[in-house]
Amino acid sequence: IGLLWSTAAPPSYTRMYHYFPAHLSPHPFCYYPPAPPPPLPPQPPPPQQAAPPTLTPLTLKQLGNSLTSMTQAAQLAKTLRYAPVPWAEKVVDHNRKWRSLFQNFESDLASCTANTSSGSTLAAVSDSTLKKPAKPSLSTAQLWNCISVYMSKQRARAGSKPGNYFNNILLSLPLPQKSPSPVAKARTTTTALTKLHAEAASALDFLGFPPRRIHSQEALNSKQSGLQRADSLLSMGHNSTRDLDTSSLASFQLDRSLLNSTFNGDGHESSTLNESFGSMTQSSINNNNNNVSKHTSNGSDCSITSTNSSTSAMLEQVPSFGMASTLTEQDVASIRVYLEQAFKDRHHPLHALNERIANCFHYSYGYWKVKPTPILAKQAMREWESISRRIYRFVRKMFPALPEDYCHLEGSREVISHITLLYPLVLSEGIYSTLFVLYANKYSRKDEMYRQNLNHAEKLNDQELVVLMGHESFLHTVMLDPKFEESVQTLKQLQEKFSPQDMLTVIQRSTQLLTEAYEHAMSANAAQLNADNMIPLTMLTMLRAAVPHLGAELALLDDLTGGPNFQAEMNGMAGYCYTTLKAAYEHVTLKALQNTP
Amino acid sequence: MSSRRSRSGPTLNFKAVLLGEGCVGKTSLVLRYMEDKFNPQHLSTLQASFVTKKVTLPDERRAQLNIWDTAGQERFHALGPIYYRGSDGALLVYDITDQDSFQKVKSWVRELKQMRGTEISLIIVGNKTDLEEQRAIGYEDARQYAQTVGAQYLEASAKENEGVAEIFELLTQLMLERLSQRERDAEPPNLLRLDASDAVSVSEGEEGNGEDTGTGQRSCCGI
């Protein structure tokens, strides 16, 4: 019966199938909204519309062998139930749609401190966040704590690989075999080592507690000599562990008597080792000025980064920039570098967040086996902007100095906002291409005309092209200038760029080269390039550069820079160059070139 | 609210387009103004088609004036809307010896009124007053026409450098008036004061800005 009902489903159910691909189980992080309004007038079918049995064979034929998925689609449609509101009023609330993803992310982050911690303060923090997972509101310090714990856990998970995390920790910690006690050195077993791993992990979590970490960084900043010593020890520990001797260990200022006393147990290694580490941790927690704890916590982190890359060392410390209430140019530069590293490092929570978003976005908008629907382009763009704002809100919790909406940096025209900070990082190839497919579809008609005109222009030489376009013939001499070719090559790079800022830079650079070409070619009559000649020249550059789907690129760029915080840029030179290119595109796509006599 | 903040950044940002038939001297006007008023090293590399100038307003505010040249050829007429989208002002230039160019200005005015309504400040400029003996459009006729469409009327000669600077000063002033008018309409009085204060004292720095955003702004997408 269910089958009958489903096969008799009116056409709108079939459309439904495109929005909710039944072969996909709903993504766990996604809220699946009701479908956006279809272009047709509303036709809410009442559920009691029974299936006329005569229809069955026809629809069965149409269905082919995808019957199971069709049934699922029908069930999905049934469970979704048509609300009394007509289709046209159903607008997807993108806040609701992406809320669960961000909430899951934040509670994941918050709860990851819960399991590892045995410290009282830490437990209290994670308890409070666990109790209300729907609204984890962390302070900046707590957030950084969560991030550091999250990262160390991620590393632990990847720890089975060679050159892993805990080996490095052990290397930088005073190892039993390198300890002053020869007895312990002799009798170290693998079981003891594995226990050590666990102990070291918990010790690190302890040390990763943010107030301590922040404090430790301050201490490090103030005590340069101490840092250097730790560094030298570190490099030793990492590169040549075998040479690590007791004298370098002594620089830890570790309480020798403590070590000696704990390592002297001959018979039961494992328990004494645990004890020794326990007391070590304890002592480091208790004594704020104890250099051992600071250097071990920082040191162990550093040794990891040296296995990855030296630049990502930045991720291992709670940054000192972007925390104050003022924002300087230096802060912004540091935040940029930090974020760049964070989105790249697969252990960092931001990287995980970005991956989740890219997946969900792709499932929402890019996962059709049919042609993408151009009406979704606008919705997807709005959703994307809201996503970016949400990420920015998270980043703002990490760096409270960042402005809530946007601001101008003092003394420069640079705008700091979620667009300028995040788009170059988050607008990844995946998301850009998903958006781009939608836009390419939306602008397919113009781009088809553009493509045909490109094909036609390709067959012509420069002289013929100038004549065909109806431009004045002296522009031909400009095309012969080497700068013109350079300008064409620059414009070609447009297809490789994803972030709006980069795209605008490419366009502006290309236009500037074009201006130089004109000035060079026209130097005899000292003519200035005005708009009368600028537009024809831009057309020629555009036709020679032959950027595919330029219309979609330009429209997408326009929408990405639509916000008010890009206004200064779009009113300025970059905006003028963009507008000229856009005007050239519009003019070229007005009519087919081959039909022009 | 966002648009308000964008205007009250370090500099106010204005965009003005130059419209008019080819050969009426749009480019000459801009170049003449640039020659006189600009330090040559501040010339942008897109010399004649896009110029930008920082001006200091009477009330100590700084403003950036971006002047966009457009193509005058008739076959590019359809591209106009792409250029004047989002602009704050328009200079409509015609040649006082050429009746056709004045008709062209009238068609631009109609189009701008239709597309941009009252959001745009219009100045009609009669150029080439040095060719007074060949004048085809009388000063009074042009001025009256400008009055009926709510535009300002000025005459200038790019060749003799008469009245050129006045055009751009008036343009800046008009756009500024329109901006503050819009702010008055859009904002409650207390917010306007706040706005004015942080626009004037640019050097006050980010701290003031941060506090402002913290208290006065709503979150853009809520929870």
Side-chain angles (χ1 to χ4, degrees):
Chain A
I1 288 165
L3 185 69
L4 273 181
W5 190 87
S6 74
T7 50
S12 53
Y13 281 131
T14 346
R15 188 170 300 113
M16 199 82 184
Y17 171 78
H18 299 288
Y19 293 112
F20 300 97
H23 56 280
L24 283 175
S25 58
H27 194 279
F29 304 121
C30 264
Y31 166 71
Y32 282 86
L40 294 174
Q43 257 192 346
Q48 67 267 26
Q49 244 184 12
T54 46
L55 279 177
T56 315
L58 173 77
T59 35
L60 263 179
K61 226 182 282 171
Q62 287 176 337
L63 281 170
N65 47 11
S66 63
L67 269 177
T68 35
S69 63
M70 204 48 202
T71 330
Q72 282 171 19
Q75 277 168 353
L76 192 59
K78 236 191 280 182
T79 49
L80 277 165
R81 284 175 60 102
Y82 285 93
V85 285
W87 271 107
E89 287 176 24
K90 287 196 174 180
V91 178
V92 179
D93 179 358
H94 36 257
N95 279 329
R96 263 181 82 197
K97 177 169 173 180
W98 292 91
R99 184 170 53 195
S100 55
L101 186 144
F102 279 87
Q103 273 176 2
N104 283 345
F105 169 71
E106 289 190 17
S107 62
D108 276 6
L109 195 57
S111 64
C112 89
T113 50
N115 309 331
T116 51
S117 74
S118 48
S120 55
T121 359
L122 206 55
V125 169
S126 43
D127 273 356
S128 65
T129 50
L130 266 188
K131 269 171 199 163
K132 20 177 187 172
K135 219 181 175 183
S137 53
L138 300 170
S139 72
T140 306
Q142 286 168 334
L143 184 70
W144 280 107
N145 175 37
C146 292
I147 289 173
S148 64
V149 174
Y150 181 94
M151 287 184 73
S152 50
K153 283 187 96 180
Q154 289 296 312
R155 290 221 170 82
R157 216 167 281 173
S160 54
K161 288 166 196 160
N164 69 60
Y165 183 49
F166 286 118
N167 280 345
N168 285 322
I169 292 177
L170 288 177
L171 294 179
S172 53
L173 285 173
L175 283 181
Q177 60 260 48
K178 295 292 169 193
S179 72
S181 161
V183 192
K185 178 184 174 184
R187 300 293 295 263
T188 311
T189 58
T190 43
T191 50
L193 265 176
T194 47
K195 293 218 169 185
L196 257 173
H197 282 217
E199 282 299 315
S202 69
L204 199 90
D205 286 340
F206 253 107
L207 301 172
F209 187 55
R212 279 205 60 77
R213 287 187 62 111
I214 287 171
H215 174 87
S216 70
Q217 211 200 359
E218 281 165 3
L220 277 177
N221 288 341
S222 56
K223 295 178 184 173
Q224 279 299 320
S225 59
L227 180 68
Q228 278 164 7
R229 200 166 47 191
D231 276 352
S232 67
L233 184 84
L234 225 333
S235 55
M236 257 190 200
H238 181 63
N239 296 329
S240 51
T241 38
R242 300 296 155 216
D243 300 333
L244 189 69
D245 58 5
T246 45
S247 66
S248 70
L249 264 178
S251 71
F252 268 115
Q253 300 166 356
L254 193 66
D255 190 351
R256 271 168 188 274
S257 65
L258 177 73
L259 268 182
N260 284 333
S261 67
T262 48
F263 278 114
N264 62 7
D266 203 347
H268 24 268
E269 244 71 283
S270 56
S271 64
T272 47
L273 277 173
N274 286 349
E275 261 179 60
S276 74
F277 267 90
S279 54
M280 227 187 75
T281 318
Q282 206 59 46
S283 68
S284 61
I285 294 295
N286 291 339
N287 187 0
N288 267 349
N289 293 325
N290 192 332
N291 281 331
V292 178
S293 67
K294 285 159 198 164
H295 291 169
T296 38
S297 69
N298 268 296
S300 54
D301 285 350
C302 287
S303 62
I304 302 144
T305 54
S306 57
T307 59
N308 296 338
S309 75
S310 56
T311 43
S312 65
M314 201 168 180
L315 296 183
E316 309 305 333
Q317 296 170 341
V318 175
S320 52
F321 45 84
M323 298 297 170
S325 55
T326 55
L327 188 69
T328 64
E329 213 162 316
Q330 207 176 358
D331 279 345
V332 172
S334 307
I335 291 173
R336 273 222 174 99
V337 175
Y338 182 89
L339 288 178
E340 197 181 316
Q341 296 297 332
F343 277 106
K344 257 191 235 159
D345 190 324
R346 65 198 160 84
H347 303 304
H348 199 280
L350 282 176
H351 178 83
L353 175 67
N354 196 21
E355 266 191 351
R356 284 185 195 180
I357 289 170
N359 277 341
C360 288
F361 201 80
H362 182 61
Y363 279 142
S364 288
Y365 290 108
Y367 210 86
W368 285 287
K369 293 192 172 180
V370 293
K371 230 176 140 187
T373 327
I375 51 163
L376 287 182
K378 201 174 174 188
Q379 177 68 26
M381 177 54 72
R382 277 205 211 122
E383 241 168 62
W384 164 248
E385 210 196 329
S386 130
I387 291 169
S388 169
R389 279 184 190 279
R390 274 172 189 270
I391 303 177
Y392 182 71
R393 237 188 297 162
F394 182 79
V395 171
R396 241 191 112 232
K397 277 187 204 160
M398 294 163 66
F399 301 104
L402 291 173
E404 182 171 339
D405 193 2
Y406 63 94
C407 70
H408 297 263
L409 268 189
E410 197 178 328
S412 76
R413 290 182 61 205
E414 195 182 2
V415 181
I416 302 303
S417 72
H418 73 103
I419 293 183
T420 53
L421 269 182
L422 293 179
Y423 276 21
L425 304 168
V426 192
L427 192 60
S428 55
E429 212 162 326
I431 289 177
Y432 185 88
S433 59
T434 306
L435 281 172
F436 186 72
V437 167
L438 292 173
Y439 271 75
N441 205 264
K442 192 176 174 184
Y443 291 88
S444 57
R445 191 172 299 176
K446 278 215 155 175
D447 273 341
E448 176 58 23
M449 176 69 83
Y450 169 73
R451 195 186 61 79
Q452 284 175 7
N453 285 345
L454 282 185
N455 283 347
H456 188 65
E458 206 180 9
K459 295 177 203 135
L460 304 173
N461 64 32
D462 291 354
Q463 186 94 54
E464 287 166 338
L465 187 61
V466 171
V467 172
L468 178 73
M469 298 295 295
H471 298 333
E472 287 165 65
S473 53
F474 69 87
L475 292 181
H476 174 234
T477 55
V478 181
M479 290 181 85
L480 298 175
D481 195 272
K483 290 272 187 190
F484 182 84
E485 181 56 27
E486 212 179 312
S487 166
V488 169
Q489 292 306 326
T490 310
L491 192 59
K492 272 185 196 228
Q493 295 167 9
L494 191 65
Q495 48 193 311
E496 300 154 15
K497 304 290 181 196
F498 307 123
S499 92
Q501 197 65 53
D502 289 352
M503 290 170 83
L504 283 177
T505 311
V506 164
I507 294 173
Q508 186 173 341
R509 180 85 196 115
S510 166
T511 313
Q512 264 166 7
L513 285 166
L514 193 60
T515 316
E516 285 167 30
Y518 182 86
E519 275 166 16
H520 192 245
M522 295 286 121
S523 54
N525 16 357
Q528 302 263 23
L529 179 57
N530 57 16
D532 290 356
N533 293 324
M534 174 79 100
I535 292 183
L537 272 177
T538 310
M539 279 178 211
L540 296 172
T541 315
M542 184 187 75
L543 286 172
R544 284 295 182 234
V547 177
H549 297 284
L550 184 65
E553 295 268 15
L554 291 177
L556 186 48
L557 177 59
D558 195 23
D559 285 356
L560 284 173
T561 55
N565 48 17
F566 245 98
Q567 199 205 18
E569 191 79 12
M570 291 309 276
N571 275 359
M573 174 120 63
Y576 185 77
C577 298
Y578 165 81
T579 306
T580 308
L581 184 60
K582 172 108 178 153
Y585 173 82
E586 292 291 333
H587 189 79
V588 165
T589 52
L590 274 182
K591 55 180 194 272
L593 280 182
Q594 54 264 60
N595 299 338
T596 325
Chain B
M1 190 165 272
S2 301
S3 69
R4 175 185 70 84
R5 285 202 58 79
S6 76
R7 309 226 166 222
S8 57
T11 50
L12 296 162
N13 204 299
F14 293 118
K15 168 183 165 185
V17 286
L18 271 172
L19 297 168
E21 210 178 40
C23 307
V24 297
K26 294 191 303 277
T27 315
S28 321
L29 276 176
V30 175
L31 285 180
R32 175 63 81 180
Y33 181 54
M34 297 280 287
E35 246 170 51
D36 280 6
K37 294 287 173 182
F38 288 77
N39 191 331
Q41 71 210 26
H42 289 158
L43 275 180
S44 64
T45 41
L46 304 180
Q47 299 205 1
S49 49
F50 172 83
V51 294
T52 176
K53 178 182 169 29
K54 284 188 170 69
V55 286
T56 308
L57 304 170
D59 61 351
E60 298 295 305
R61 284 211 258 182
R62 285 185 289 167
Q64 178 125 5
L65 184 59
N66 303 296
I67 302 162
W68 291 34
D69 193 11
T70 61
Q73 295 98 315
E74 182 56 40
R75 63 196 177 109
F76 297 138
H77 183 95
L79 305 178
I82 302 172
Y83 278 93
Y84 59 68
R85 193 185 72 157
S87 63
D88 305 280
L91 287 178
L92 301 145
V93 187
Y94 77 95
D95 179 349
I96 60 165
T97 65
D98 183 358
Q99 183 68 42
D100 287 349
S101 69
F102 189 60
Q103 295 309 319
K104 182 81 190 209
V105 162
K106 285 185 174 175
S107 84
W108 276 119
V109 168
R110 269 196 301 276
E111 198 178 317
L112 283 168
K113 286 276 165 197
Q114 198 183 349
M115 306 289 288
R116 306 272 304 150
T118 57
E119 284 176 34
I120 190 164
S121 313
L122 302 181
I123 298 182
I124 298 174
V125 179
N127 193 22
K128 305 196 184 176
T129 49
D130 47 297
L131 301 173
E132 186 63 46
E133 66 276 12
Q134 299 170 38
R135 183 188 274 274
I137 298 107
Y139 178 85
E140 262 319 297
D141 296 347
R143 203 188 56 79
Q144 269 170 12
Y145 168 75
Q147 219 164 22
T148 57
V149 294
Q152 299 288 325
Y153 181 69
L154 286 175
E155 288 197 346
S157 165
K159 191 179 173 194
E160 305 291 331
N161 193 13
E162 285 169 9
V164 176
E166 286 82 350
I167 298 171
F168 292 93
E169 275 156 26
L170 180 64
L171 179 69
T172 316
Q173 192 193 330
L174 285 179
M175 291 194 294
L176 195 69
E177 275 168 17
R178 204 163 290 266
L179 170 69
S180 49
Q181 178 69 42
R182 212 159 38 214
E183 278 175 354
R184 264 200 298 280
D185 292 347
E187 301 290 332
N190 59 334
L191 271 177
L192 180 69
R193 260 204 309 281
L194 196 135
D195 175 36
S197 68
D198 85 344
V200 168
S201 58
V202 186
S203 55
E204 200 171 275
E206 304 299 327
E207 193 162 7
N209 261 345
E211 280 165 15
D212 178 31
T213 46
T215 54
Q217 296 279 304
R218 61 174 171 81
S219 167
C220 280
C221 37
I223 299 285

